[in-house]
Amino acid sequence: MRVPVSWLRSLLPGLTAPVQDLSAALIRAGFEVEGVHRVGEDVSGVVVGRVLDVEELTGFKKPIRFCHVDVGARVHEVVCGAQNFAVGDLVPFAVPGAVLPGDFRIAARQTYGHTSDGMICSAAELGLPGDPSGILVLADRDLGLDAGLELGRDVVAALGLRDIVLDVAVGYDRGYCLSMRGLAREVATAFGLTYDDPGLVTDQHALGGSASDGGCEGQPGQRGHRVRVEDGCDRFVLATVTGLDPSAPSPTWLQRRLVLAGMRPISLAVDVTNHVMLELGQPLHAYDAATVTGPIVVRRATTGERLTTLDGTDRALTVADLVIADDSGPIGLAGVMGGLATEITAGTRDVLVEAARFDPVLIARGARRHRLPSEASKRFERGVDPGLAPVAAHAAADLLVRLGGAVVGPVTDVDRRVEAPSITLSVGFSGRVAGRAYAPEVVIARLQDVGCDVNGTDPLQVRPPSWRPDLTGTSELAEEVIRLEGYETLPVVLPPAPAGRGLSAERRLRRTASRALAAAGLVEVTTPPFVGAQVLQAIGGGTTAPALVNPLSAEESLMRPSLLPGLLKALDRNVRRGLADVAVFETGHVFLGAGSTASSPGVVGAPTDAERAALDAALPDQPSYAGLVLCGAGASWDRAVETVLLLGRALGVMLEVRAGAAGAFHPGRCAQVLHHGTSVGLAGELHPRVVTALGLPARTCAAEVDLDALVAAAVAGGEVKAPRVSSYPPATVDVALVVDMPTPAALVEAALRNGAGELLEELHLFDVYTGPQVGEGRRSLAYALRLRAPDRTLTDVEVLGARDAAVAEAGARTGAVLRS
Amino acid sequence: MTVPAASPHPDDPLDAVRDAALATVAEAVTLEILLRDRAGLLGDKSPLLLARRALGQLPAAERKEAGQRVNAALTEVSSAYEQKKDVLETERDARVLVEEAVDVTVLRQSLPHGARHPLTTVIERAADVFVAMGWEVAEGPELEHAWFNFDALNIPAHHPAREEQDTLWIEPEGSGLLLRTQTSPVQIRTLLERGAPCYVVAPGRVFRNDSLDATHSPVFAQLEGLCVDEGITMAHLRGTLQAFSSAMYGEGLATRLRPSYFPFTEPSAELDVQCFRCRGSVELQPCRVCSDEGWIEGGGCGMVNPAVLRACGVDPDRYSGFAFGMGLDRAVMVRHEVADIRDLYEGDVRFSSAFGSGV
């Protein structure tokens, strides 16, 4: 919401505070001031000019125009890149010597083969809010010259441009502040000024109009336009204005206000409706009465009906659309955009001014379905004051009378409002929410500042004003009291500390996992979870992944069922940036299987267990995985596998490895990682086909494990039981076993462990040999065994006995024989 | 050298032998020479040892004095020898150490150095602050149902706030499945699971249909907090956020609440934290952290809307609570002067590596 300070002051004559105080007061009241634009202070030498002719220059990369502009005293030649103006338009013209904001000095120059003797300015170039891409057209070519806009007159003076415009953000609950009227109330409260609200209904609004007949049809006294409301509207006011002078232009003050507020002046009738909307917050629509046939009806469209809206788009309507119709069918999308057929034109003399309050949800849906967010729909969505319609209709009619020589006819008012109930408020409630006390008179005064009717002492009976539909309960009322008294007056108190239990075991273990991977020399990354079907296919993932309805990019329209695509993309990016040796990891959620539909329970109370179970059942499985990828020096299949084993050890989970197979991995270099026989992940070298398909460095390695499973295993393992550390001397013995080539080392090792029995303290593989000494198709595996007893020094007999038992077991299980 | 006044055997040149031995010791310039000469000085066949062995053949009357003289000579030579050996050994050791000296700046950096991502560590740090206040840490699914993300948070269908959040929806269309747009659904899950009282923070990733640029990411991290108990007030909200801000950004920093609007809180506020770099002081500006605002946006917060409590089966007449949510990407960017949010999500190892194992 762009707020010219001069406009605010016109509603609050007592407002003298400097702009920084005004801005601070708005922020304190909950309205973010996103910008303060000082307009017109740094502009000179810009005058009103009329475009005499336009020659489109061709042969350049972009459209370029060569024009003549009449500034009264002389005619300037000028080259211009904008396209939104036409012959006859009045435009701001910077003559040579002019200065624009940013100390931008204008001089004559040669360009595109012509002399450009000045510049036609856009709103942005003049430091005005508004469309920066096109020229600021001051008045339509069809309109006559306004006195203030005579050619050659200084634009800053003519438009009264010197002003300060605040850019104010307005929350969804404060639709009433999408108007000067609403913000003026907030400012008046902040500075303790008396406020004469221009949006309140007074006696004059009953003049010339007619009250509702209590049903759905308004029947004004004699000649009023008939209105029938069938749906989606609880207030509909239609004012008839006749005899408008179609050549009457918008006066400068009106144009200036619109321009400062960020809207473009179009014609008197349209400008007047926009002005009233900006000032009061009531969106209005003006119809050319001559084009309307029969009664105005507010109803749902029927399927098959069509409407060409003001933007020239022919739209198919459905029963979901709320329309304004006459005998010819729909003539407007209610609250969103009017129809082209009933548009105000240069010849319009009789006007129907509509001021209504439509159902916010219907308008929100309609604006979205037709992709037509407008100034009107924005206000209707947030709730328009239903008391405002007659006031706004009269304000618009009055302006048309004053500025366009029109006459006000009868006004139809269909009033189907339901009075909101009053709220019972304990006078101490606001203080209980805030954590500090407010005197009863303060509570009452603040509620009255907001516009509430307050009765009683304790509890109070509070009736919120018509423009605050958001005030539906005691919390909302408390917020008004606390907000207006100032959040800075709230005490700073810590809540009583609960007896915390610290981090859960799961969270501690997750941290351990992440630290262990970093300690193993991998760098953590966080990648977006979106993947493409092609990548998934390339890595051979047969998993169903949830698909996005509206993906950010069509190439990545699925949720990742694996961390590897994202990690490989990160690896690739690093390699492309010149880093040859990359080792990265990520922990995060993956998404397995597609979701299904579950209907939403209500929100009146907690959902039942069955309802909650249904909601959760609709979600795909989303476990946390840990993934890693490696390339370059230091990358090898065994580093990938051993990093996973190290992760298991860090968590206190014993993992085993056996040969595995999975699409993404080299069929001969893929390890399946198991915990108690259950697979928890894969590690190894990527399949050369994957490496090629994704353009990765040769021999890129990877691993991925189900971190949730590891953490669960660690938790299930319970507390660590401390080993008895024997201080007796160890006995070390090496054995070299010859086995057939396909026999996995893990089997040999397991057999040795089993066979050696309790005396075995530690065992590790220290050499693998293949060659003539062991024969074709066989290999030698050399293990070092460390034996120790808890209570004695081992004898040679015991040591050899354990060794022989180990070798015998290996022989029995794998056919291993001692290497001679 | 002083020649002894009397000699047991004036014709036996003990003194000369001793002096010769001492001279040999003194002349040995290396440890090797000294060790080679040992046999001749103190070995079994050395003149002094031979002299001692010969004592037995002396008459008893002379034996005592002669014995004393020979022993004195032996002691003198042996002590000189040991001293010299010490000196030479020390010299050798020093020489070896010098010879073994290396250029300690020649490093191949063969140990891979890992690092953790600053978003991970900032989540841990933030969680630790709340855990220290007695709170617990919760989690929820990233792919969520609209009931948790919107309905239960007092954002009914067609509420403008739903549109504003640019939700990423999941197939099948109309299923109500989405990528959570905020960590607030964890509030709902936590309340439903635990009921009141409840002191919980929930860090996690959230998603918006926003294209990636220097200041926006479709994926970002939030920390949600929820406190529900009897007698909880907005003063408690202020106190908690003040304590958290001090722990995260620095002691003594002021905080400020500005009225705002969120459907799930009433009253609602935006939190600002005083800029930790310039603290709003003009002398320290221009400030690249806060762009001379003096304040850093800290997130949204407010008192839990009674409608939300009811949707979670908590009696709003007995319990009240506050909730807050803050962007952790922003916290990382502000703390570490990250200019481009893409650095957080591109996975360039040079970025994460700078942060070591935690900051």
Side-chain angles (χ1 to χ4, degrees), chain A residues 497-501, chain B residues 134 136:
Chain A
R501 286 175 290 184
Chain B
E136 291 180 30

Side-chain angles (χ1 to χ4, degrees), chain A residues 27-32 171-174 360-361 364-365 368 381-382 431-436 470 475-480 482-483 487-504 507 510-511 514-515 517-530 546-552 559-560 569-571 573-574 577 579 581-587 589 591 594-607 612 615-616 618-620 622 624 639, chain B residues 112-121 123-125 127-128 131 133-148 151-153 157-161 163-177 179 189 192-194 199 203 205 207-211 218-219 227 229 231-240 242-243 256-261 265-270 297 303-307 310-313 322 343-350 352-353 357:
Chain A
I27 290 170
R28 186 174 174 272
F31 300 91
E32 200 169 328
Y172 300 119
D173 61 334
R174 302 204 188 280
V361 170
R365 276 189 213 161
R368 273 197 282 287
E381 278 181 43
R382 286 160 175 76
R432 287 198 291 281
V433 172
R436 54 153 290 190
D470 61 305
S475 296
E476 288 79 5
L477 296 179
E479 177 176 48
E480 295 303 303
I482 298 167
R483 170 177 79 93
Y487 280 3
E488 72 280 0
T489 67
L490 292 169
V492 179
V493 182
L494 274 177
R501 286 175 290 184
L503 285 179
S504 66
R507 288 207 77 85
R510 256 171 233 293
R511 290 186 178 189
S514 155
R515 288 190 188 125
L517 290 170
L522 292 101
V523 175
E524 185 176 29
V525 297
T526 57
T527 68
F530 312 113
L548 288 153
V549 173
N550 52 341
L552 290 151
M559 295 305 292
R560 63 182 182 198
K569 198 171 163 184
L571 177 135
R573 179 175 284 127
N574 280 288
R577 289 179 181 177
L579 306 171
D581 311 329
V582 183
V584 292
F585 80 97
E586 178 171 16
T587 63
H589 292 281
F591 305 85
S596 57
T597 302
S599 57
S600 287
V603 291
V604 183
R612 271 181 64 195
L615 287 176
D616 282 338
L619 301 178
Q622 310 173 44
S624 270
R639 182 173 172 205
Chain B
H113 42 284
R116 302 181 74 214
H117 196 276
L119 270 178
T120 316
T121 50
I123 284 174
E124 291 181 1
R125 194 182 151 127
D128 286 346
V131 166
M133 290 197 274
W135 293 45
E136 291 180 30
V137 184
E139 256 193 15
E142 291 177 351
L143 199 164
E144 185 55 284
H145 195 282
W147 189 84
F148 290 101
D151 300 51
L153 287 163
H158 305 293
H159 192 288
E163 273 321 291
E164 177 87 345
Q165 296 201 349
D166 294 327
T167 309
L168 286 163
W169 295 93
I170 297 290
E171 301 271 9
E173 192 166 2
S175 62
L177 298 184
L179 295 183
R189 290 183 171 275
L192 284 172
E193 275 153 33
R194 305 180 183 216
Y199 294 76
R205 302 219 289 182
F207 308 86
R208 301 278 172 94
N209 194 347
D210 237 348
S211 33
V219 186
C227 159
D229 206 340
I232 293 297
T233 71
M234 219 167 158
H236 292 135
L237 166 63
R238 218 179 155 201
T240 303
Q242 172 86 53
R256 165 176 93 169
L257 294 180
R258 280 180 289 120
S260 186
Y261 170 72
T265 49
E266 191 81 45
S268 303
E270 294 279 352
E297 286 180 23
M303 302 304 290
V304 181
N305 193 311
R310 273 192 290 274
C312 298
F322 63 80
D343 287 340
L344 294 174
Y345 294 100
E346 283 193 336
D348 193 311
V349 297
R350 292 169 299 171
S352 290
S353 294
S357 286

Side-chain angles (χ1 to χ4, degrees), chain B residues 88-275:
Chain B
L88 290 175
E89 275 179 354
T90 306
E91 276 177 21
R92 178 202 58 186
D93 288 353
R95 193 174 61 246
V96 167
L97 291 181
V98 167
E99 284 166 6
E100 288 183 355
V102 295
D103 177 357
V104 296
T105 64
V106 175
L107 297 171
R108 282 171 299 122
Q109 309 212 1
S110 54
L111 284 182
H113 42 284
R116 302 181 74 214
H117 196 276
L119 270 178
T120 316
T121 50
V122 83
I123 284 174
E124 291 181 1
R125 194 182 151 127
D128 286 346
V129 172
F130 282 99
V131 166
M133 290 197 274
W135 293 45
E136 291 180 30
V137 184
E139 256 193 15
E142 291 177 351
L143 199 164
E144 185 55 284
H145 195 282
W147 189 84
F148 290 101
N149 195 72
F150 290 130
D151 300 51
L153 287 163
N154 201 31
I155 312 174
H158 305 293
H159 192 288
R162 261 199 206 203
E163 273 321 291
E164 177 87 345
Q165 296 201 349
D166 294 327
T167 309
L168 286 163
W169 295 93
I170 297 290
E171 301 271 9
E173 192 166 2
S175 62
L177 298 184
L178 47 77
L179 295 183
R180 65 178 179 196
T181 59
Q182 49 199 356
T183 38
S184 308
V186 186
Q187 274 187 35
I188 304 301
R189 290 183 171 275
T190 309
L191 269 185
L192 284 172
E193 275 153 33
R194 305 180 183 216
C198 172
Y199 294 76
V200 161
V201 282
R205 302 219 289 182
V206 300
F207 308 86
R208 301 278 172 94
N209 194 347
D210 237 348
S211 33
L212 188 66
D213 63 27
T215 53
H216 296 87
S217 165
V219 186
F220 51 102
Q222 275 190 349
L223 179 83
E224 184 84 8
L226 174 71
C227 159
V228 177
D229 206 340
E230 292 180 1
I232 293 297
T233 71
M234 219 167 158
H236 292 135
L237 166 63
R238 218 179 155 201
T240 303
L241 292 178
Q242 172 86 53
F244 176 71
S245 304
S246 294
M248 283 299 275
Y249 292 107
E251 283 301 321
L253 292 174
T255 57
R256 165 176 93 169
L257 294 180
R258 280 180 289 120
S260 186
Y261 170 72
F262 306 105
F264 36 93
T265 49
E266 191 81 45
S268 303
E270 294 279 352
L271 169 73
D272 293 333
V273 182
Q274 198 177 26
C275 174

Side-chain angles (χ1 to χ4, degrees), chain B residues 23 80 289 330:
Chain B
V289 172
R330 174 129 184 94

Side-chain angles (χ1 to χ4, degrees), chain A residues 58-440:
Chain A
T58 53
F60 299 106
K61 280 179 186 164
K62 55 178 186 171
I64 293 293
R65 291 174 149 192
F66 177 64
C67 318
H68 287 88
V69 176
D70 180 2
V71 299
R74 55 171 293 198
V75 173
H76 292 259
E77 298 182 332
V78 63
V79 173
C80 182
Q83 299 289 310
N84 70 318
F85 61 96
V87 172
D89 280 352
L90 295 183
V91 294
F93 187 77
V95 299
V99 181
L100 299 184
D103 200 26
F104 178 37
R105 288 164 192 278
I106 302 301
R109 63 195 178 107
Q110 287 293 320
T111 181
Y112 294 102
H114 290 272
T115 300
S116 190
D117 189 28
M119 187 173 100
I120 310 178
C121 304
S122 70
E125 282 156 350
L126 294 177
L128 286 173
D131 180 9
S133 62
I135 292 308
L136 172 64
V137 177
L138 297 174
D140 200 273
R141 58 194 171 280
D142 298 332
L143 295 175
L145 254 189
D146 178 71
L149 286 180
E150 64 206 31
L151 297 184
R153 189 162 174 215
D154 186 78
V155 164
V156 171
L159 298 185
L161 286 185
R162 211 149 280 160
D163 208 334
I164 297 172
V165 180
L166 301 179
D167 201 347
V168 180
V170 176
Y172 300 119
D173 61 334
R174 302 204 188 280
Y176 72 102
C177 277
L178 288 173
S179 68
M180 302 303 153
R181 173 217 183 188
L183 285 167
R185 174 174 291 278
E186 292 288 344
V187 171
T189 304
F191 291 100
L193 305 172
T194 52
Y195 179 47
D196 186 10
D197 186 344
L200 297 181
V201 178
T202 61
D203 290 345
Q204 72 165 80
H205 300 119
L207 296 176
S210 111
S212 157
D213 63 357
C216 56
E217 187 151 347
Q219 279 288 11
Q222 319 87 338
R223 321 172 298 281
H225 206 98
R226 278 167 53 103
V227 172
R228 194 167 74 248
V229 173
E230 293 180 359
D231 198 1
C233 174
D234 62 5
R235 192 79 190 262
F236 196 97
V237 173
L238 195 66
T240 311
V241 180
T242 56
L244 179 71
D245 171 7
S247 68
S250 296
T252 311
W253 66 264
L254 176 55
Q255 295 203 26
R256 168 186 168 268
R257 279 189 169 179
L258 295 183
V259 167
L260 287 176
M263 296 189 88
R264 197 168 89 80
I266 293 169
S267 67
L268 178 63
V270 175
D271 293 354
V272 161
T273 58
N274 283 334
H275 182 270
V276 170
M277 175 181 72
L278 291 171
E279 180 157 281
L280 298 180
Q282 169 70 57
L284 299 175
H285 186 69
Y287 302 87
D288 182 340
T291 63
V292 176
T293 51
I296 293 270
V297 184
V298 184
R299 63 166 169 87
R300 297 297 189 103
T302 55
T303 307
E305 282 186 316
R306 303 190 76 85
L307 170 68
T308 303
T309 43
L310 281 175
D311 57 357
T313 308
D314 176 40
R315 298 171 189 275
L317 304 177
T318 72
V319 71
D321 289 307
L322 188 68
V323 294
I324 311 298
D326 68 0
D327 287 352
S328 70
I331 57 170
L333 268 177
V336 178
M337 190 177 267
L340 194 61
T342 52
E343 184 188 22
I344 302 288
T345 65
T348 300
R349 293 193 158 271
D350 300 337
V351 176
L352 293 174
V353 177
E354 165 204 296
R357 183 187 178 279
F358 298 112
D359 179 345
V361 170
L362 281 178
I363 301 306
R365 276 189 213 161
R368 273 197 282 287
R369 192 168 42 252
H370 294 288
R371 297 184 202 286
L372 272 179
S374 64
E375 290 292 324
S377 70
K378 190 164 87 180
R379 287 172 173 80
F380 282 122
E381 278 181 43
R382 286 160 175 76
V384 166
D385 177 359
L388 196 56
V391 184
H394 275 92
D398 287 350
L399 280 173
L400 291 175
V401 168
R402 210 147 55 82
L403 305 174
V407 177
V408 182
V411 176
T412 311
D413 184 351
V414 180
D415 188 352
R416 302 168 70 185
R417 286 177 293 167
V418 181
E419 201 174 12
S422 70
I423 301 165
T424 305
L425 178 72
S426 156
V427 79
F429 181 72
S430 308
R432 287 198 291 281
V433 172
R436 54 153 290 190
Y438 298 104

